[in-house]
Amino acid sequence: QQQVKQSPQSLIVQKGGIPIINCAYENTAFDYFPWYQQFPGKGPALLIAIRPDVSEKKEGRFTISFNKSAKQFSLHIMDSQPGDSATYFCAATLRGSTLGRLYFGRGTQLTVWP
Amino acid sequence: EPEVTQTPSHQVTQMGQEVILRCVPISNHLYFYWYRQILGQKVEFLVSFYNNEISEKSEIFDDQFSVERPDGSNFTLKIRSTKLEDSAMYFCASSTNRGSTDTQYFGPGTRLTVL
């Protein structure tokens, strides 16, 4: 029940396209949903995060859409660029978690062609 | 910009050997974590550490694993007797504050290969 399911595993889009990565969870005790971006040879880095009391959050070209009733959330990348090619992980933490243990999805490898 | 650093970047060891993976968290951070990622699988939590104590550990973190903050800058993960299935990328992370919403900053990882 502590799983976060992520799809697709890989995604290829043309420059300017809008890749969408989807995640779903079962445990309603999750109350914070960060997305991490990882480039080859680097560790995951926080990209954007959302709490379940809002349905959408935008930061630059990155948008999270959140559907609390469906227990689903997704990352949209507007006007995608080759530099966005990376692995994206959705994650979640539990309400009241003292040190914020992250539960990760399996990751999506995004390739943006020029 | 401050970063979490990890050494070595790649460690190859024989099954049954002890390994120590080293991390230098960001200097003003107080909360430390280890995660691992087996090739092709998701990143999994191992342990969190604060004030020289383990705060939480996962079912993966059995008696073969231990963590230590031997001085004011390093944070180590020791695997006493490595198994083939310990082959993975190990990530260290740190954060300034506790809590479910505080940002964890990850190091670049150590790739452990157990032969």
Side-chain angles (χ1 to χ4, degrees), chain B residues 20-85:
Chain B
I20 298 176
L21 309 183
R22 290 184 167 79
C23 169
V24 179
I26 295 173
S27 63
N28 62 338
H29 288 189
L30 299 175
Y31 305 90
F32 313 114
Y33 312 81
W34 284 100
Y35 292 82
R36 79 172 186 191
Q37 184 179 27
I38 295 171
L39 189 64
Q41 298 187 26
K42 62 184 176 183
V43 178
E44 298 174 292
F45 171 82
L46 292 177
V47 66
S48 58
F49 189 87
Y50 167 68
N51 200 26
N52 281 321
E53 287 186 345
I54 289 174
S55 178
E56 183 181 0
K57 58 184 180 180
S58 72
E59 57 282 357
I60 301 168
F61 194 90
D62 62 21
D63 291 345
Q64 293 300 311
F65 291 88
S66 62
V67 288
E68 193 179 28
R69 186 146 164 86
D71 53 44
S73 58
N74 290 282
F75 180 50
T76 62
L77 174 69
K78 183 193 290 186
I79 309 174
R80 284 191 188 81
S81 177
T82 50
K83 307 183 187 77
L84 295 176
E85 55 264 37

Side-chain angles (χ1 to χ4, degrees), chain A residues 62-104:
Chain A
F62 300 91
T63 299
I64 302 177
S65 298
F66 193 90
N67 185 330
K68 188 174 180 178
S69 60
K71 291 184 278 188
Q72 294 174 348
F73 58 110
S74 58
L75 177 71
H76 302 233
I77 306 175
M78 306 301 175
D79 186 27
S80 58
Q81 301 295 314
D84 297 328
S85 297
T87 301
Y88 292 82
F89 295 94
C90 61
T93 63
L94 290 168
R95 185 183 310 115
S97 170
T98 53
L99 257 70
R101 167 181 177 170
L102 288 162
Y103 295 85
F104 281 93

Side-chain angles (χ1 to χ4, degrees), chain A residues 24-76:
Chain A
Y25 63 98
E26 290 294 324
N27 192 343
T28 55
F30 284 140
D31 77 338
Y32 179 68
F33 302 90
W35 284 88
Y36 280 79
Q37 180 187 54
Q38 184 182 26
F39 292 106
K42 301 281 190 181
L46 180 66
L47 182 64
I48 184 174
I50 196 167
R51 300 292 297 266
D53 50 350
V54 298
S55 60
E56 186 176 275
K57 184 171 181 181
K58 285 184 184 180
E59 283 185 8
R61 296 184 292 108
F62 300 91
T63 299
I64 302 177
S65 298
F66 193 90
N67 185 330
K68 188 174 180 178
S69 60
K71 291 184 278 188
Q72 294 174 348
F73 58 110
S74 58
L75 177 71
H76 302 233

